[in-house]
């Protein structure tokens, strides 16, 4: 008899497992994939280069609490992420900043004049509702067309006018020279990779990990008191109200017999090509290797669910599934797929920590919990 069956060994399920185990609860953690880590899983490819199987994962958070919690399971490598966008034949800093604008248009704007430049181009919209409105109301239509319109159409299979403002608002334009992708206080990568972090998190005698197993195949055989579910919420209810849209990506990996492939860790291609971006992993991981591995991302409507699609019709459908979830006793829903939230890793960790606090009450770790070093 287990106290908990946890479905999904990504950040949501693994953090819940670790916290519950430390409170003396017994946990069986199951994942249909052959590995732990969920979409943050990384591994050494055939050439020996550390790659992220499900696309580039860069850790960043403003919350010291989340950074401190994860620091129990890994040492860190300082890493500030940079992205270049391929626009009009140039590689320009993205998010848009003063240098992006100057190099694109051949101008010499500075911190004193960039705001007036944006204001002269912006279309006034008092409450932007869509991603199109969010961008054109800040920087105008030309920058929108060059950097956002096609990237967003490729990434989501939707026009930006059909997506919530919050999607494009993840990468707001800057009025300074800051060319980092994120501005959070904590920007680090796990020194030995994400999978090692997960291995240490799950290395507890109260946790049993079962891989290659769809929970539906074992749920009737296992005995447990409660379930924590981090898979897609619509699948849990057998698509009772229809499919909740999730966006997928086809990842195409290549290894090149050269030390460096491209001029930065990630290059975005808003306008050319079927793919949205190319990532070169060695920049992220700091690995030294004579070869280099990269991944192209080709967004698709088919395949594993990776992204909830933020738009009003989907929020409404999710709301109906959430009512079902709330009315399902003994099952707790957590994570990006189960709560249909476009969450980064740190937000999922925060959500999982809150869930455990809520269902167990905040208690001291039980004396029985032991962790191997
Ligand atoms: P997941 O990691 O998806 O884990 C859910 C698990 O449940 C999966 O392993 C799945 O196999 C399992 N599962 C589902 N159904 C079943 C079933 N029936 N039976 C058994 N197991 C099941 N976040 C950042 O902070 N920084 C980034 O740079 C970043 N980059 C990203 C890039 C890409 C391309 C993607 C797709 C996401 C990125 N993210 C990033 C987001 C990050 O991946 C998520 O926030 C995080 O991994 C979500 O964790 P989770 O546990 O909720 O879900
Ligand atoms: N985006 C864009 N052009 C870019 C980068 C991002 O239009 O060069 C938009 C696009 O809609 C994307 C969203 O901004 O989905 C959020 O970008 P982010 O890099 O945060 O996406 P993620 O890393 O989650 O895929």
């Amino acid at each position: 008899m287990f106290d908990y069956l946890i479905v999904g060994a990504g950040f949501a399920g693994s953090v819940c497992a670790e916290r519950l185990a430390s409170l003396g609860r017994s946990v069986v953690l199951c994942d249909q994939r052959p590995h732990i880590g969920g979409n943050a899983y990384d591994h050494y490819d055939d050439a020996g280069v550390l790659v992220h199987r499900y696309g580039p994962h860069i850790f960043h958070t403003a919350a010291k609490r989340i950074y401190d919690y994860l620091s129990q399971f890994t040492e860190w490598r300082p890493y500030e992420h940079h992205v270049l966008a391929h626009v009009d034949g140039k590689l320009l800093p993205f998010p848009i900043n003063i240098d992006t604008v100057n190099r694109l248009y051949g101008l010499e704007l500075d911190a004193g004049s960039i705001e007036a430049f944006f204001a002269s181009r912006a279309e006034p919209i008092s409450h932007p509702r869509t991603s199109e409105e969010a961008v054109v109301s800040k920087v105008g239509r030309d920058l929108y067309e060059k950097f956002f319109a096609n990237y967003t159409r490729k990434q989501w299979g939707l026009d930006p006018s059909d997506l919530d403002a919050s999607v494009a608002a993840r990468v707001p334009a800057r009025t300074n020279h800051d060319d980092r992708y994120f501005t959070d206080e904590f920007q680090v990568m796990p020194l030995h990779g994400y999978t090692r972090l997960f291995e240490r998190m799950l290395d507890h005698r109260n946790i049993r990990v079962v891989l290659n197993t769809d929970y539906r195949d074992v749920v009737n055989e296992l005995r447990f008191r409660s379930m924590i579910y981090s898979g897609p919420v619509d699948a849990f209810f057998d698509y009772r109200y229809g499919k909740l849209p999730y966006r997928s990506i086809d990842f195409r990996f290549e290894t090149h017999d050269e030390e460096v492939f491209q001029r930065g860790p990630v290059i975005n291609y808003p306008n050319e090509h079927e793919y949205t971006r190319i990532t070169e992993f060695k920049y992220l991981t700091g690995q030294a290797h004579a070869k280099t591995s990269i991944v192209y991302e080709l967004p698709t409507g088919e395949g594993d669910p990776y992204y909830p699609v933020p738009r009003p019709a989907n929020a409404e459908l999710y709301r109906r599934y959430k009512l079902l979830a709330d009315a399902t006793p003994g099952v707790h829903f957590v994570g990006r797929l189960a709560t249909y939230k476009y969450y980064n890793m740190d937000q999922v960790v925060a959500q999982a920590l809150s869930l455990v606090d809520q269902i167990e009450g905040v208690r001291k770790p039980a004396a029985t919990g032991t962790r191997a070093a």
Side-chain angles (χ1 to χ4, degrees):
M1 174 64 124
F2 291 93
D3 292 315
Y4 287 91
L5 165 62
I6 301 185
V7 179
F11 269 107
S14 298
V15 168
C16 288
E18 188 281 327
R19 282 294 77 210
L20 289 164
S22 79
L23 293 171
R25 303 298 189 206
S26 59
V27 172
V28 55
L29 175 66
C30 114
D31 203 298
Q32 61 196 1
R33 289 170 168 165
H35 58 73
I36 56 174
N39 288 341
Y41 172 72
D42 55 14
H43 70 110
Y44 289 88
D45 65 14
D46 290 345
V49 179
L50 183 59
V51 299
H52 298 178
R53 165 93 41 103
Y54 306 97
H57 278 69
I58 296 111
F59 186 79
H60 58 102
T61 188
K64 184 167 185 310
R65 183 175 72 96
I66 304 302
Y67 171 78
D68 286 344
Y69 170 71
L70 292 176
S71 299
Q72 297 176 77
F73 315 108
T74 187
E75 296 157 74
W76 301 105
R77 160 177 195 264
Y79 173 74
E80 290 188 328
H81 190 49
H82 293 86
V83 173
L84 296 168
H86 189 258
V87 170
D88 288 359
K90 302 183 169 105
L91 286 177
L92 301 171
F94 188 84
I96 295 167
N97 67 15
I98 295 175
D99 300 302
T100 315
V101 173
N102 284 345
R103 289 185 44 209
L104 180 67
Y105 296 122
L107 299 172
E108 291 185 2
L109 302 171
D110 58 21
S113 49
I114 185 80
E115 281 188 40
F117 173 86
F118 285 148
S120 73
R121 305 282 176 120
E123 296 176 13
I125 300 167
S126 52
H127 298 293
R129 285 174 305 107
T130 70
S131 278
E132 178 186 18
E133 290 178 354
V135 180
V136 298
S137 67
K138 291 278 182 337
V139 299
R141 200 151 286 277
D142 195 51
L143 290 168
Y144 163 75
E145 290 291 346
K146 284 180 158 56
F147 288 87
F148 285 90
N150 289 324
Y151 187 105
T152 301
R153 286 185 195 118
K154 283 192 277 188
Q155 171 69 12
W156 300 97
L158 290 169
D159 193 83
S161 58
D162 288 324
L163 274 170
D164 288 359
S166 60
V167 176
R170 286 168 62 91
V171 277
R174 309 237 169 97
T175 51
N176 55 29
H177 295 277
D178 190 349
D179 64 350
R180 298 171 307 160
Y181 204 62
F182 306 110
T183 52
D184 285 336
E185 182 176 351
F186 302 96
Q187 304 192 33
V188 285
M189 294 289 284
L191 187 60
H192 304 291
Y194 288 97
T195 302
R196 181 77 75 82
L197 182 163
F198 279 91
E199 282 166 2
R200 290 180 62 183
M201 189 180 269
L202 298 175
D203 183 10
H204 195 292
R205 69 181 202 184
N206 293 346
I207 302 174
R208 177 134 139 235
V209 178
V210 183
L211 298 176
N212 297 301
T213 304
D214 187 319
Y215 84 98
R216 285 169 291 206
D217 295 335
V218 294
V219 71
N220 293 324
E221 291 153 35
L222 287 170
R223 294 190 344 128
F224 56 91
R225 288 182 225 280
S226 305
M227 186 193 294
I228 292 177
Y229 177 81
S230 71
V233 64
D234 59 345
F236 186 88
F237 293 106
D238 293 323
Y239 310 102
R240 190 176 309 175
Y241 300 138
K243 280 199 134 189
L244 198 46
Y246 291 92
R247 193 69 173 157
S248 191
I249 294 185
D250 186 5
F251 297 104
R252 303 234 173 116
F253 288 85
E254 284 177 1
T255 298
H256 290 257
D257 204 357
E258 56 191 337
E259 253 188 271
V260 179
F261 174 80
Q262 64 183 21
R263 274 186 31 205
V266 170
I267 298 184
N268 287 359
Y269 290 87
N271 302 312
E272 300 82 6
H273 312 296
E274 219 186 321
Y275 48 83
T276 49
R277 59 186 178 190
I278 304 177
T279 299
E280 183 166 5
F281 290 102
K282 280 166 43 183
Y283 285 101
L284 273 48
T285 60
Q287 186 181 4
H289 198 294
K291 297 187 182 185
T292 192
S293 294
I294 60 167
V295 68
Y296 298 81
E297 291 179 46
L298 291 97
T300 162
E302 308 298 317
D304 282 359
Y306 295 138
Y307 290 83
V309 183
R311 60 191 299 234
N314 300 349
E316 175 53 25
L317 183 54
Y318 169 64
R319 197 187 60 77
R320 297 179 66 204
Y321 276 114
K322 182 165 187 316
L323 289 176
L324 278 184
D326 289 345
T328 306
V331 185
H332 306 281
F333 294 78
V334 65
R336 175 149 145 151
L337 304 173
T339 63
Y340 207 66
K341 297 277 185 307
Y342 189 176
Y343 274 169
N344 294 324
M345 294 180 281
D346 64 319
Q347 295 170 299
V348 169
V349 172
Q351 194 191 35
L353 292 174
S354 304
L355 174 68
V356 173
D357 283 354
Q358 177 202 316
I359 59 185
E360 284 286 333
V362 186
R363 295 168 24 182
K364 282 206 159 73
T368 53
T370 53
R371 181 192 315 291

